[in-house]
Amino acid sequence: MAPKVREGDAVVAVSGKWISWAHTTVAYAAFIGALLTGLSLHYRKIVENEYYGYPQEWFPSVSATIGDRYPERAVFQFFIAMTSGPRFLLVFLWYILTARPNSSLPKIVAGVGIFRTLSCGGWTYVTSTDDHGWHDIFMISYLVATLPWTLGCLALSPNNPKAVKYRKILAGSFFGTLVPLIYYFIQHKVHRVPGAYTIYAFYEWALILFDVGFDAVTALDFDGFELIVRDVKGSSRGKTQQIADTVLEKEKEKPISRVFSPNLRWPEALDATADVYNGFIFWSMLTSLGLTVWYFPLWHMGISGYEVMVMCTVSPFLLTNASIRSLVIQNVRFVHLLSLSGLLAYLAKTPEYRLFSVAFGVSMSCLAWSATWYAERFQQSRLECRILAWSVGLVASSVAKFTFWTNNPIWPIMHAENGGWNKAGLLLAALAILRSTKPVTDNCGGIDLADRPQTAPLLASLGLAGLLFGMHSLLSDSSTMVLWVWEGFPVRGPIAANGILTIAAMGAGILSSIFLHGPVSSWTSLLLAGIGAFIVTSYHNWLGYLGALLLATSLMASAIPLITSAVRHGPMVFGLGFLVYNVLVLAHVWVVAYAFVPGGPVMREHTDWVMGATILFLAAGVYALPRPETNHKQRIRSGKPMPSRTASYYTYLLFVIQLLAFATSYLRFPTNDYVPYHKDDKVITAGIWTIHFSLDNDMWSSERRMRDLIKELEIDVIGLLESDLQRIIMGNRDTTQFLAEDLGMYVDYGPGPNKHTWGSALLSKFPIINSTHHLLPSPVGELAPAIHATLDAYGELVDVVVFHSGQEEDPEDRRLQSEYLARLMKDSPRPLLLLSYLVVKPHEGNYNTYVGEKSGMRDIDPSDWDRWCEYILYKGIRRSGYARVSRSTITDTELQVGKFVVGQPESSNEPVNEDQVPKGLRFPSLFRGKGVRDHRPEMYVQTPAHGLPQAHIIGGGGSSAWSVLLTGLNDNVGSAQEPSDSDSDTASQVQSQVPPKATPSPSTASTSPSTTPSAAAKSKPSSDAPAVVVQPDTTKDKPPSTITRASTVVVTAPGQTQPAPVPAESSKPSKGANTAGIAAGVVVGVIAICAIGGGLFFLLRRRKRRVLADEYARNAANPFETESESGKATAVSLTIKIIRGEYSRSPILMGLERYCRYYPFTTVDPLASLFLPDVQVQRHVANGAGHNPISGTPQDGGQEKQKKLLAADAGHFSMIKALHLADLITELNGFCGFMSILSSMRYCLGSPTSYGSIYIALAFIPFGLFFDFMDGKVARWRKKSSLMGQELDSLADLISFGVAPASAAFALGLRTPLDTLLLSFFVLCGLTRLARFNVTVSTLPKDATGKSKYFEGTPIPTSLCMVGAMAWCVSQGYVVGGDRGVVGGVMGGEDSWWGGVHPIVAVFVGWGCAMVSRTIHIPKP
């Protein structure tokens, strides 16, 4: 019993041991109750598994018992729900029992216990039938958390020998059971041994008993605890008093959470989580920039102009201006919120707008993070926390990509249909920014003058650039360096699922930066980075990957010291750092894209140069670190480093992220038990596809659509070309990982990103016995990759070669490559399939090297002359079918598929009818006719095997000897006129086979769907294109004739000619020259050049200021003689007081000094306030005349200057000179409004279902509000008023918030005469309200600061609410010409004599009335 201190306070007292016994009893009741219920009701069903049943298996497993059958599942869930309360209390009491001052292990164990409890509930209530993936995640998380919980409890056990003994016994039994459990599971799952699952079930039940029994031992430790319910108000009638007297009496002023957990502060933990997520957003947007830029040169097959958008990262150059720097630091939260435009980009359907949105978001994010770091330079601990959050954010980004198969779910190329989590990511980002961005205790832009860096800022910027590039190019995806060391089969190194090791190495680097911080550790990290870079560049497999792990650890460990050094060297370092980072990114691209860029041959295949430059830049940054004695001064001045409690939050978050990565790795580990589609017929369905770097024609990620098509075509082996995405410009992705794991296929990723190719990969349902990567001779052009693999197909060895040849511009390269590959195929003694991209026309040039005696290979269909690049060749195996399937909008190239029968010799090319073909040898029926999802057959050819036909005909029939279907060769085929009845016989009596000598005309070859992206766009089939079926003539003697006209191909019967039908004009015009992209590139290029030039100017001026400041420091304190206006000598000295900024180094102070020397009793010229808004000059007169303070910011100086400049004879450009900075910002408000009006007009001129222009119109209005907010803020900050400010503000508001919303409403459908009249009423109300405000603003009541207390009528910017409503209407299709029409419809009908009216226009009328109302008073914020 607890001590009785006061009568009646204690209501209930329960011994702590009963918590343990309650947990144990209810937990055992849950499992044993479900087992007994299942054995009595469904015994034979719950002992049955996927291979055997009773009597081979006679005891059920835990998962079968508590799974999907009722009432067993209900019994289990009832008792397990009752277990949750005692379970949480048990964890809490264990923490109370083991907590010690300055010890973090009890907190970690308690956190693991809570996580383990939650994950137990997850796998309990989400069964494998409900959601197999989440069930496995919860189960794995529970098992993983059991290890630290068990070991932590053993380590923290109190001095109770009996309890320690039982814990060791139960823990040893638990872990000892795992070995036989895994063994018998393998016997059951892999070897399918009868009865093995029953033995496995016994060990699984033993795990449950040992696990619950381990927690039951706490009853021996909790015997000294009591849980007490106190009546603090005397409401109950308890007779006994129980109180934790000694603790709570002393700490009664503190919250109970602080008493029991003095070191754990949940607000700080939440802040750390928000900071990490903010860092995750930065890396997500930065990694998406190159991906969105890459789409345009890929689509235009050359420089497009949009590439200049990569320079958006140099926005930190703006921080070199003190005014902008102060503005950004004070409003860093708003800048972070602006950066979310990069996450909103997925809403833009047009790739150009998506790129612009991402570029703006990245520029704002780089600016915000640089300002955040710089603002925290006086708070060493806070600065290190910010850098740590940024680094952990990279780990989180890498884990997210690891979880989503190298795609970040919040990228702008993702959406809900292809696996995106954009909305959830955006919401969490907004909340994280609001939580993590707080005001900094800084002087808003000043610098540290007490401890100047001893090295040049350029070295620090080089270190920052090397850090950024290394982290982005190598660590933004966990599988990047895995593919660097990949060498094919048999596997001798890491696979994609081993990316968990890269993530663990990154975490180790972060932890080392926390606990081993200092210059010595930085040099150690640099040494490890150099060693790791050499190993990963020079070696492969596990040895090379060891170097990759060293490099990952050292890069993450260098983040805190290098960024801290950059902060100390000033804001210029961030701009230069991002600029050099961009140079490294371009060099990183140049090494592989040398054929398309100026100066490319110099960088050709020199990844080693890029890696070496990265290490050298890191060395420069480490050299720029402060010396040990300087670092000591900094620590004394700036305070203590990061406290252990703050660091612990990031450590916990890092631990949680690592657990998630471990669970993902377990789920992604390959099972290697894949089965081909038609194993009974021994058929190999092989395909070749150029996947265009996994971006579809609209810049969306395309791997899920590719997956669907491959699965529906039942492809067993497929070669993928243009598949190497492990570069910054491609997002560091790997589509083959998703395809292989989702489709259940073995994968050879092909030559890695350090082999300088565009990539080739092989996916196979059959085990890959061996594979070799070849880089074919390419003395001039791009490297040509090839994979030579040997497959175990139905017990026979079959070779497969995946090959991508050189470009058309390099004929010598292609000749050497054809000879090399011909020898390779000729030397193979096994059946062989070539899945290739050969830049050659059928039966011409190098085609005869690939096909014929030199190679021993045969073409899958020598009569198909409508090919240009993709070819399937074979030898030693029977071909059974061939198809070309249109690619829809997935890529720019069709998918070619061939069917082959293993174990049968080659056959002739004689086709047969479909009804003679077994189902297992046919192509899927869903692709007949118009196909599925715009995937349609372009050609099917069939041949027999052993007298049996091996493929089928679409559209054929009867007793014909052969038949061909030609559909969707291009858009024109679908729109061609059908032949008349008189011509139908002639048009159908043609032969499909073209003799080998027949070649297509140049016009036909140029329109092949596998040539260029533009040609591919032309070849997209129409959704309603009719099938052009051609039947043979009975005449066999004469070859068919081929006639081409435009891009339509007609095959006529032997000896006849048939003019091609004249195609209708295509409804979709060609893209033509990319003038918009080039223009945008020029504009942004000029802006980037100006930014860089301005940054360099500020850098040079900064150095000059430093020299002048030293000189002024020597002379400013010495009095000097000067002549006053009366001729008397006066001793004057100047004292410069720095409020903000770097003006002590300004040469303008020297001029101000000279000014005061000759005019000692006059005020300072107002012009000085333009340059010195934060400087106060105080004069000390030696003759005792007193003090005459001179301020650099006189209150009326701005208006006096304007009056002079606005005078009649003020000179040229006086109006421009009279404008203040706040006036210019107001002008930007009007600019946004006018651009919104123009965009609304542009929408009216275009298609009503193309919403790009109206979205832009609505988006400009919030930007106008931003400038409307900032003009007053800037004016108050500069303490300068403008004579024209009020009028300019009113006029700009009328345009942006009056005319622009009304124009957008007109564009959306409010176009009847009465609609326009009422919209005009809204605009006039806004005009009247602004005029009244200008007249009455001086008479309205004022507060202490001189501002009006309230608005009279609703302010006109509140029309932004209607703008948001209009944006929603557009998204839902409530527009004229949309799916739903204007909201509310039209009253009276537009055909009535008065034109009708839309009721929704009443909202504008009401809003206008509210603006001019005098009774509505809205308090000012």
Side-chain angles (χ1 to χ4, degrees):
M1 294 292 293
K4 297 182 178 180
V5 180
R6 291 195 304 268
E7 289 291 330
D9 284 349
V11 179
V12 177
V14 179
S15 176
K17 66 180 180 181
W18 293 110
I19 301 298
S20 299
W21 290 124
H23 170 265
T24 305
T25 302
V26 180
Y28 279 144
F31 288 97
I32 297 175
L35 176 62
L36 295 177
T37 304
L39 292 177
S40 60
L41 297 179
H42 308 112
Y43 171 68
R44 291 186 178 244
K45 292 181 179 179
I46 63 176
V47 300
E48 183 179 359
N49 55 57
E50 64 266 44
Y51 303 129
Y52 304 103
Y54 183 83
Q56 290 88 354
E57 310 290 358
W58 51 273
F59 194 79
S61 65
V62 176
S63 56
T65 302
I66 66 176
D68 304 321
R69 301 190 181 278
Y70 287 91
E72 296 95 320
R73 182 177 179 181
V75 171
F76 175 76
Q77 291 184 347
F78 173 80
F79 283 104
I80 209 69
M82 296 175 60
T83 311
S84 60
R87 178 67 193 175
F88 282 109
L89 286 175
L90 187 149
V91 174
F92 175 74
L93 289 179
W94 182 256
Y95 173 73
I96 297 299
L97 179 66
T98 59
R100 298 292 183 271
N102 301 323
S103 176
S104 59
L105 181 59
K107 302 174 190 175
I108 296 175
V109 174
V112 172
I114 295 174
F115 173 78
R116 185 166 170 263
T117 303
L118 295 175
S119 60
C120 177
W123 65 260
T124 298
Y125 288 91
V126 181
T127 66
S128 58
T129 304
D130 298 332
D131 192 320
H132 191 277
W134 280 108
H135 176 79
D136 287 346
I137 290 175
F138 286 126
M139 175 64 76
I140 294 167
S141 301
Y142 178 83
L143 294 177
V144 170
T146 299
L147 177 61
W149 168 257
T150 304
L151 297 179
C153 290
L154 287 172
L156 295 174
S157 292
N159 188 16
N160 187 338
K162 187 176 181 181
V164 172
K165 174 185 176 182
Y166 284 129
R167 281 199 182 92
K168 289 182 179 179
I169 294 174
L170 291 171
S173 302
F174 180 90
F175 292 114
T177 305
L178 292 175
V179 177
L181 178 104
I182 296 174
Y183 171 80
Y184 283 105
F185 180 80
I186 294 175
Q187 292 292 312
H188 160 71
K189 194 71 176 179
V190 179
H191 303 291
R192 302 182 182 179
V193 176
Y197 196 73
T198 295
I199 303 176
Y200 162 81
F202 277 108
Y203 284 109
E204 190 178 21
W205 281 101
L207 279 182
I208 298 297
L209 298 177
F210 293 145
D211 186 19
V212 177
F214 181 87
D215 294 330
V217 179
T218 55
L220 300 176
D221 298 313
F222 293 166
D223 194 30
F225 277 148
E226 282 188 343
L227 296 181
I228 304 166
V229 178
R230 292 184 57 227
D231 182 8
V232 295
K233 293 185 177 181
S235 302
S236 69
R237 297 182 180 182
K239 299 299 182 182
T240 59
Q241 178 195 16
Q242 305 244 347
I243 181 172
D245 42 355
T246 57
V247 177
L248 294 180
E249 196 65 36
K250 293 181 179 180
E251 306 290 346
K252 59 183 178 181
E253 301 298 330
K254 294 184 180 181
I256 192 67
S257 61
R258 294 291 303 277
V259 175
F260 290 104
S261 182
N263 292 327
L264 182 61
R265 299 177 182 176
W266 290 108
E268 292 184 1
L270 189 60
D271 289 340
T273 305
D275 281 346
V276 169
Y277 192 81
N278 204 4
F280 166 76
I281 294 301
F282 170 85
W283 284 108
S284 298
M285 288 193 295
L286 183 65
T287 52
S288 71
L289 176 63
L291 185 58
T292 52
V293 170
W294 168 243
Y295 168 84
F296 294 95
L298 180 65
W299 180 256
H300 295 282
M301 296 298 288
I303 301 297
S304 64
Y306 291 104
E307 293 82 1
V308 75
M309 287 297 175
V310 299
M311 299 303 296
C312 69
T313 57
V314 301
S315 57
F317 268 124
L318 297 174
L319 298 178
T320 57
N321 182 279
S323 301
I324 297 177
R325 179 170 65 250
S326 178
L327 184 65
V328 172
I329 291 176
Q330 292 180 19
N331 299 278
V332 68
R333 172 178 292 176
F334 188 75
V335 179
H336 271 295
L337 289 174
L338 286 179
S339 70
L340 296 185
S341 65
L343 301 187
L344 286 168
Y346 82 99
L347 296 174
K349 305 304 180 184
T350 306
E352 291 83 357
Y353 295 151
R354 223 178 308 160
L355 171 61
F356 294 152
S357 181
V358 171
F360 179 77
V362 171
S363 65
M364 290 296 100
S365 186
C366 294
L367 182 65
W369 274 98
S370 300
T372 300
W373 290 331
Y374 186 73
E376 302 286 10
R377 63 196 178 282
F378 293 128
Q379 300 290 334
Q380 183 73 15
S381 60
R382 289 178 58 173
L383 173 61
E384 292 182 357
C385 287
R386 298 288 191 180
I387 302 171
L388 192 59
W390 181 77
S391 303
V392 178
L394 175 61
V395 180
S397 174
S398 184
V399 171
K401 294 181 66 179
F402 186 52
T403 305
F404 288 86
W405 297 279
T406 73
N407 267 336
N408 192 314
I410 63 173
W411 269 348
I413 64 168
M414 306 295 292
H415 49 71
E417 287 73 17
N418 64 3
W421 288 22
N422 306 82
K423 294 180 181 179
L426 180 63
L427 176 62
L428 292 177
L431 296 176
I433 289 174
L434 294 176
R435 178 74 191 185
S436 66
T437 53
K438 297 180 179 179
V440 295
T441 56
D442 184 33
N443 63 356
C444 303
I447 64 167
D448 180 13
L449 301 177
D451 187 18
R452 296 178 182 173
Q454 301 174 356
T455 56
L458 180 60
L459 296 180
S461 64
L462 292 178
L464 179 63
L467 176 68
L468 286 169
F469 176 76
M471 296 171 76
H472 189 173
S473 63
L474 300 176
L475 304 182
S476 62
D477 185 78
S478 60
S479 61
T480 298
M481 291 190 291
V482 170
L483 300 185
W484 269 56
V485 301
W486 172 258
E487 284 290 291
F489 286 82
V491 178
R492 299 176 294 274
I495 60 176
N498 297 129
I500 178 63
L501 299 179
T502 303
I503 296 172
M506 295 168 65
I510 292 176
L511 293 178
S512 67
S513 68
I514 298 175
F515 302 109
L516 300 174
H517 185 68
V520 176
S521 61
S522 299
W523 284 106
T524 303
S525 297
L526 177 64
L527 178 62
L528 293 177
I531 295 174
F534 172 77
I535 294 175
V536 75
T537 306
S538 305
Y539 298 94
H540 303 98
N541 301 319
W542 283 111
L543 178 59
Y545 191 58
L546 176 61
L549 298 181
L550 287 176
L551 183 57
T553 304
S554 58
L555 278 174
M556 299 304 294
S558 302
I560 289 180
L562 290 181
I563 296 178
T564 302
S565 174
V567 168
R568 295 182 64 256
H569 282 83
M572 172 62 66
V573 172
F574 295 106
L576 287 176
F578 276 104
L579 177 62
V580 178
Y581 154 80
N582 287 338
V583 173
L584 287 174
V585 171
L586 294 178
H588 169 69
V589 178
W590 255 237
V591 298
V592 65
Y594 46 82
F596 299 97
V597 294
V602 178
M603 290 295 300
R604 172 175 176 158
E605 303 173 39
H606 279 302
T607 296
D608 53 344
W609 290 7
V610 179
M611 182 68 79
T614 304
I615 300 301
L616 288 177
F617 288 172
L618 289 173
V622 173
Y623 180 78
L625 292 178
R627 304 295 183 266
E629 61 274 8
T630 304
N631 187 55
H632 177 67
K633 295 178 182 178
Q634 177 74 11
R635 288 300 174 86
I636 292 176
R637 181 180 54 79
S638 300
K640 296 181 180 180
M642 191 189 322
S644 59
R645 184 185 68 246
T646 305
S648 65
Y649 298 134
Y650 297 98
T651 305
Y652 299 153
L653 290 172
L654 188 61
F655 177 73
V656 172
I657 294 172
Q658 295 283 352
L659 282 181
L660 176 61
F662 181 84
T664 302
S665 176
Y666 177 85
L667 293 176
R668 288 191 53 188
F669 210 85
T671 59
N672 296 334
D673 56 353
Y674 314 126
V675 180
Y677 288 99
H678 300 287
K679 60 179 181 179
D680 295 334
D681 300 304
K682 303 184 76 173
V683 172
I684 297 178
T685 305
I688 179 67
W689 203 2
T690 304
I691 61 175
H692 209 55
F693 303 98
S694 297
L695 285 179
D696 68 12
N697 296 351
D698 298 316
M699 203 169 80
W700 299 111
S701 183
S702 59
E703 66 274 354
R704 291 179 183 265
R705 297 174 65 194
M706 292 164 51
R707 180 269 317 271
D708 294 339
L709 183 57
I710 294 173
K711 181 184 295 185
E712 290 163 350
L713 280 170
E714 300 176 350
I715 298 177
D716 301 310
V717 179
I718 187 168
L720 302 178
L721 304 176
E722 295 182 358
S723 59
D724 186 2
L725 316 180
Q726 286 291 355
R727 292 184 177 82
I728 288 177
I729 56 171
M730 303 164 195
N732 289 94
R733 299 181 296 149
D734 183 16
T735 301
T736 60
Q737 296 182 29
F738 171 77
L739 294 178
E741 295 177 29
D742 194 274
L743 294 172
M745 305 177 84
Y746 301 90
V747 57
D748 187 338
Y749 307 104
N754 55 337
K755 302 299 191 302
H756 315 104
T757 73
W758 292 121
S760 61
L762 173 66
L763 279 72
S764 170
K765 288 278 188 181
F766 305 101
I768 303 177
I769 305 303
N770 184 76
S771 64
T772 306
H773 300 163
H774 298 266
L775 299 179
L776 276 63
S778 306
V780 178
E782 299 171 335
L783 290 180
I787 302 175
H788 182 195
T790 301
L791 311 182
D792 180 4
Y794 308 114
E796 299 188 23
L797 298 182
V798 177
D799 284 1
V800 176
V801 176
V802 181
F803 170 59
H804 190 307
S805 75
Q807 299 299 318
E808 186 179 7
E809 297 81 4
D810 307 312
E812 180 62 17
D813 286 8
R814 290 187 288 112
R815 184 187 66 82
L816 295 175
Q817 293 161 10
S818 64
E819 294 177 352
Y820 181 98
L821 197 63
R823 290 193 299 270
L824 180 68
M825 295 185 295
K826 184 72 172 179
D827 294 340
S828 175
R830 294 175 289 273
L832 189 143
L833 302 177
L834 174 64
L835 311 175
S836 59
Y837 186 95
L838 310 177
V839 185
V840 64
K841 299 177 182 178
H843 311 289
E844 291 186 4
N846 295 325
Y847 174 90
N848 299 311
T849 305
Y850 292 113
V851 179
E853 294 295 331
K854 292 184 179 180
S855 63
M857 302 294 291
R858 299 180 61 181
D859 192 350
I860 193 169
D861 183 17
S863 66
D864 183 9
W865 45 262
D866 191 38
R867 292 172 294 173
W868 171 240
C869 291
E870 291 183 341
Y871 288 83
I872 299 178
L873 310 181
Y874 68 99
K875 77 169 185 178
I877 192 171
R878 182 174 296 276
R879 184 200 71 169
S880 64
Y882 167 56
R884 287 172 30 217
V885 181
S886 61
R887 84 282 179 204
S888 182
T889 59
I890 294 180
T891 175
D892 65 338
T893 312
E894 66 189 11
L895 172 59
Q896 292 190 15
V897 185
K899 283 185 174 289
F900 303 88
V901 180
V902 176
Q904 296 185 13
E906 300 176 9
S907 62
S908 66
N909 293 327
E910 180 184 358
V912 296
N913 290 327
E914 177 184 8
D915 54 4
Q916 301 176 357
V917 178
K919 286 186 177 181
L921 305 182
R922 301 179 184 180
F923 286 102
S925 59
L926 74 162
F927 289 92
R928 299 172 183 234
K930 293 183 179 181
V932 57
R933 296 189 312 276
D934 288 337
H935 300 298
R936 290 189 295 231
E938 306 246 352
M939 174 174 286
Y940 284 91
V941 179
Q942 306 77 37
T943 57
H946 278 315
L948 294 177
Q950 300 302 312
H952 68 289
I953 297 173
I954 302 296
S959 58
S960 308
W962 49 266
S963 179
V964 176
L965 172 71
L966 299 175
T967 106
L969 292 176
N970 45 60
D971 287 339
N972 296 326
V973 172
S975 59
Q977 298 180 356
E978 296 184 2
S980 62
D981 295 340
S982 60
D983 297 334
S984 60
D985 294 337
T986 304
S988 63
Q989 294 176 356
V990 292
Q991 190 173 3
S992 67
Q993 270 197 341
V994 179
K997 294 183 180 180
T999 58
S1001 66
S1003 62
T1004 304
S1006 64
T1007 59
S1008 173
S1010 57
T1011 53
T1012 64
S1014 59
K1018 294 178 182 179
S1019 64
K1020 177 182 175 181
S1022 174
S1023 60
D1024 57 351
V1028 183
V1029 181
V1030 291
Q1031 299 289 351
D1033 187 21
T1034 55
T1035 306
K1036 305 281 186 171
D1037 301 328
K1038 299 180 181 180
S1041 302
T1042 302
I1043 298 177
T1044 62
R1045 181 171 181 176
S1047 57
T1048 303
V1049 180
V1050 175
V1051 183
T1052 63
Q1056 299 180 355
T1057 59
Q1058 171 77 14
V1062 179
E1065 184 177 357
S1066 175
S1067 60
K1068 183 177 180 180
S1070 174
K1071 295 180 77 74
N1074 185 25
T1075 55
I1078 295 175
V1082 170
V1083 172
V1084 178
V1086 171
I1087 295 175
I1089 292 173
C1090 293
I1092 296 170
L1096 294 176
F1097 167 76
F1098 281 115
L1099 177 63
L1100 296 176
R1101 192 180 71 171
R1102 181 188 180 91
R1103 297 183 63 183
K1104 185 177 180 180
R1105 282 178 172 180
R1106 185 174 298 177
V1107 177
L1108 293 175
D1110 293 339
E1111 180 180 355
Y1112 181 76
R1114 293 193 298 268
N1115 300 328
N1118 297 326
F1120 50 86
E1121 296 296 325
T1122 182
E1123 285 288 333
S1124 65
E1125 292 181 356
S1126 61
K1128 297 181 180 180
T1130 304
V1132 178
S1133 65
L1134 297 179
T1135 300
I1136 308 299
K1137 180 181 178 182
I1138 306 298
I1139 300 178
R1140 298 194 297 266
E1142 305 170 19
Y1143 303 109
S1144 66
R1145 303 175 179 177
S1146 173
I1148 301 173
L1149 287 179
M1150 307 301 292
L1152 184 62
E1153 178 185 351
R1154 291 193 296 270
Y1155 186 91
C1156 294
R1157 178 179 179 182
Y1158 291 106
Y1159 303 97
F1161 299 109
T1162 61
T1163 59
V1164 178
D1165 194 299
L1167 186 62
S1169 64
L1170 297 177
F1171 302 98
L1172 301 171
D1174 303 318
V1175 176
Q1176 289 183 349
V1177 183
Q1178 188 167 13
R1179 181 188 319 281
H1180 303 280
V1181 185
N1183 60 3
H1187 299 290
N1188 182 18
I1190 304 174
S1191 173
T1193 56
Q1195 294 184 359
D1196 60 347
Q1199 294 190 2
E1200 291 297 327
K1201 176 187 173 184
Q1202 276 191 319
K1203 290 180 181 178
K1204 294 179 182 179
L1205 292 174
L1206 293 175
D1209 299 328
H1212 298 293
F1213 303 108
S1214 59
M1215 175 64 73
I1216 298 177
K1217 296 177 183 177
L1219 293 176
H1220 290 185
L1221 178 59
D1223 297 335
L1224 296 176
I1225 295 177
T1226 306
E1227 299 274 7
L1228 290 177
N1229 179 12
F1231 168 80
C1232 291
F1234 182 66
M1235 292 302 296
S1236 174
I1237 297 170
L1238 292 182
S1239 298
S1240 297
M1241 297 168 62
R1242 187 177 294 110
Y1243 173 73
C1244 293
L1245 296 175
S1247 171
T1249 58
S1250 180
Y1251 300 144
S1253 296
I1254 194 62
Y1255 273 126
I1256 293 176
L1258 297 174
F1260 266 115
I1261 300 177
F1263 281 105
L1265 180 64
F1266 166 72
F1267 292 119
D1268 184 45
F1269 166 76
M1270 290 304 299
D1271 57 3
K1273 197 172 184 67
V1274 170
R1276 288 188 294 272
W1277 168 60
R1278 294 177 60 84
K1279 300 179 182 178
K1280 298 184 66 175
S1281 60
S1282 172
L1283 295 174
M1284 299 186 297
Q1286 184 170 292
E1287 284 70 20
L1288 279 176
D1289 189 71
S1290 297
L1291 294 173
D1293 285 352
L1294 177 64
I1295 298 173
S1296 295
F1297 311 121
V1299 181
S1303 301
F1306 177 84
L1308 292 178
L1310 305 185
R1311 302 179 183 179
T1312 68
L1314 192 53
D1315 286 342
T1316 56
L1317 182 62
L1318 296 178
L1319 289 176
S1320 301
F1321 172 79
F1322 166 76
V1323 175
L1324 293 177
C1325 287
L1327 176 62
T1328 306
R1329 187 247 184 275
L1330 292 170
R1332 183 185 66 187
F1333 173 79
N1334 291 345
V1335 173
T1336 62
V1337 64
S1338 59
T1339 62
L1340 293 176
K1342 305 293 191 300
D1343 58 13
T1345 62
K1347 295 175 57 177
S1348 300
K1349 290 185 177 180
Y1350 56 80
F1351 291 107
E1352 197 173 59
T1354 57
I1356 192 170
T1358 57
S1359 62
L1360 200 66
C1361 298
M1362 291 189 292
V1363 173
M1366 287 188 284
W1368 179 85
C1369 290
V1370 175
S1371 66
Q1372 300 299 316
Y1374 289 111
V1375 297
V1376 61
D1379 297 334
R1380 303 180 178 180
V1382 180
V1383 175
V1386 60
M1387 182 183 299
E1390 297 181 359
D1391 296 333
S1392 60
W1393 64 270
W1394 53 287
V1397 65
H1398 292 86
I1400 194 66
V1401 78
V1403 176
F1404 285 86
V1405 176
W1407 215 279
C1409 295
M1411 286 192 293
V1412 296
S1413 172
R1414 296 198 61 183
T1415 58
I1416 298 177
H1417 290 175
I1418 300 178
K1420 278 195 172 184

